[in-house]
Amino acid sequence: MTNMQFAKRLQPLQSNVFADMDRAKAVALAAGQQVIDLSLGSSDLPAEAHVIEAIAQSLHDRSTHGYLLFNGTFGFREAAANWYEQKFGIKVDPQTEVLPLIGSQEGTAHLPLALLNPGDFALLLDPGYPSHAGGVYLASGQIYPMPIRAENDFLPVFADIPAPVLAQSRMMVLSYPHNPTAAIAPLSFFQEAVAFCQQHNLALVHDFPYVDLVFQETEESADSSPNPKSVVPSILQADPEKSVSIEFFTLSKSYNMGGFRIGYAIGNAELIHALRQVKAAVDFNQYRGILNGAIAALTGPQVGVKSAVATFQQRRDTFINALHRIGWNVPTPKATMYIWAKLPSSWSQNSIEFCTQLVKQTGVAASPGAGFGKSGEGYVRFALVHEPPLLETAVERMAKFLH
């Protein structure tokens, strides 16, 4: 082995709790455990037939087989802009305010390269989605974690951010409905965030993968229109002029297209242009057939979205009721495909060991809260990616582990 030198920016990326948990799952499988994997938020539901058909038809069109440059994505950008306008009532220019992405994760990971100079701060939720931090590290930036706690409804307190940090900050990243806590944020909070970022000259980044995965608890609140209005706000409803804001969407959750890697950004034209410059240096766009499938998803029947939401609501209710029966009193989330559970006191400072022992002894795999940030310690995240009978079995196994 030569004495090869690697960039210092790789050092913060070396510790990965999820890779550790993947190894723990492999050990449990090798020991003969039947693993029920609730650790990864990857939908087990299929993409809709009309989406698959649009992609399948594209395969036979040789004009789709070459590189796809930005101008060739206009049809998709137009579909995304129209979908957004129908959902939130805000006009979007598909030419300057929309950018296709390989999932929202690409956007949150690459945007720091466009915004941060070495040493600049990004303000991130703690706990939060790991790729938000990864992008900042790759840009040689610094992270200021904004703790989010149950007593504040898992919303950050902007007044707690130190002035010296603010003076050196360039961006704030929010994400509601939130992964991992499943919290939602009211429009008033987003209005406060927009005003704060305008005051301190920060780019406001909102990661919005769970825009549709929101549970309606009463029939009266249900909207029967073909594309129902969202009951969770977009950041641009608080910043309709798109003065400081950019929002990331994905088709992974609403349309069960995680493996197709298709998402998009909508927002401030300067931020969109800057992200496009980074993207142009890294890759071309996806295969055109995937964009054709995405257009079919955004413009076609939305019954599949409603069906997916109903499926995850049923799974949520099954899992929460089962946890309550074994004496684990966890709040019922209003959104996402996750359960954010406070650990019993005996495990309150060791979520990683809890998850390691849980999969080893029972085969139930979960994500330790510490993997999402320091303020996630004392919690565990379960992803509702199996049918109700298997979720019941998982809780039964956990009951034996806990008692």
Side-chain angles (χ1 to χ4, degrees):
M1 180 69 181
T2 59
N3 188 23
M4 200 173 290
Q5 300 293 310
F6 291 96
K8 292 177 182 177
R9 70 175 61 88
L10 288 183
Q11 291 173 1
L13 305 179
Q14 289 171 2
S15 175
N16 187 325
V17 169
F18 302 102
D20 295 342
M21 287 308 303
D22 207 39
R23 284 190 288 272
K25 284 184 281 186
V27 169
L29 280 168
Q33 285 280 13
Q34 182 213 6
V35 171
I36 303 175
D37 193 349
L38 307 180
S39 66
L40 189 63
S42 178
S43 175
D44 59 313
L45 304 178
E48 289 292 291
H50 67 280
V51 173
I52 301 301
E53 180 61 23
I55 297 171
Q57 290 298 321
S58 302
L59 291 170
H60 302 288
D61 178 0
R62 61 188 293 177
S63 73
T64 69
H65 294 182
Y67 290 128
L68 181 61
L69 302 181
F70 179 75
N71 285 336
T73 69
F74 183 78
F76 170 70
R77 287 182 277 127
E78 190 172 43
N82 290 339
W83 175 92
Y84 183 89
E85 187 175 343
Q86 287 176 10
K87 191 88 167 174
F88 296 107
I90 295 170
K91 281 200 170 295
V92 174
D93 183 348
Q95 195 65 266
T96 61
E97 296 177 337
V98 184
L99 183 69
L101 298 169
I102 304 172
S104 64
Q105 181 165 325
E106 183 209 348
T108 57
H110 279 163
L111 188 61
L113 291 169
L115 289 172
L116 301 181
N117 289 313
D120 286 345
F121 274 99
L123 310 174
L124 305 187
L125 299 178
D126 173 22
Y129 189 60
S131 82
H132 298 168
V136 176
Y137 289 135
L138 287 175
S140 299
Q142 298 187 75
I143 290 170
Y144 180 80
M146 299 184 291
I148 56 174
R149 301 190 172 94
E151 56 264 32
N152 294 322
D153 298 322
F154 295 109
L155 301 173
V157 179
F158 300 140
D160 291 345
I161 303 168
V165 170
L166 267 179
Q168 212 175 327
S169 297
R170 299 292 174 263
M171 62 187 292
M172 175 189 289
V173 182
L174 302 174
S175 185
Y176 293 97
H178 185 244
N179 178 10
T181 68
I184 60 174
L187 183 60
S188 58
F189 168 77
F190 282 150
Q191 290 167 336
E192 181 189 352
V194 168
F196 185 85
C197 289
Q198 288 171 335
Q199 179 186 349
H200 296 284
N201 198 26
L202 304 172
L204 180 51
V205 182
H206 187 230
D207 196 9
F208 204 10
Y210 301 99
V211 54
D212 292 308
L213 238 173
V214 182
F215 308 122
Q216 296 173 332
E217 304 302 334
T218 64
E219 286 301 315
E220 290 76 20
S221 69
D223 185 338
S224 60
S225 60
N227 196 3
K229 289 286 187 289
S230 180
V231 296
V232 294
S234 161
I235 200 73
L236 300 181
Q237 288 176 285
D239 186 13
E241 301 301 316
K242 309 180 190 79
S243 64
V244 293
S245 306
I246 186 170
E247 195 156 55
F248 293 117
F249 297 86
T250 177
L251 278 77
S252 297
K253 311 303 181 184
S254 302
Y255 299 98
N256 307 310
M257 294 177 68
F260 295 91
R261 308 311 305 135
I262 177 68
Y264 53 96
I266 288 181
N268 174 277
E270 289 180 289
L271 290 173
I272 292 287
H273 180 70
L275 182 56
R276 181 182 163 193
Q277 286 180 290
V278 173
K279 185 174 176 61
V282 175
D283 61 48
F284 291 112
N285 293 286
Q286 302 89 321
Y287 168 55
R288 187 188 293 274
I290 290 176
L291 266 66
N292 289 341
I295 292 169
L298 293 171
T299 61
Q302 300 298 299
V303 291
V305 178
K306 290 183 178 181
S307 175
V309 172
T311 295
F312 282 110
Q313 183 162 354
Q314 181 191 16
R315 293 177 181 186
R316 175 203 66 174
D317 294 344
T318 296
F319 199 76
I320 288 287
N321 290 338
L323 287 177
H324 289 180
R325 282 199 303 271
I326 69 168
W328 197 347
N329 292 315
V330 175
T332 302
K334 296 179 180 178
T336 78
M337 56 172 65
Y338 306 114
I339 304 296
W340 185 241
K342 193 169 187 177
L343 286 168
S345 57
S346 56
W347 294 98
S348 63
Q349 292 304 310
N350 207 339
S351 58
I352 295 173
E353 183 65 15
F354 174 88
C355 289
T356 302
Q357 290 302 318
L358 182 67
V359 73
K360 180 180 178 181
Q361 295 183 37
T362 72
V364 177
S367 291
F372 299 95
K374 183 179 177 183
S375 295
E377 185 56 281
Y379 288 84
V380 61
R381 190 197 75 176
F382 299 102
L384 302 172
V385 292
H386 292 290
E387 295 294 340
L390 207 52
L391 295 175
E392 295 264 14
T393 301
V395 177
E396 287 168 13
R397 292 189 193 178
M398 288 194 290
K400 295 173 186 173
F401 176 78
L402 290 169
H403 298 107

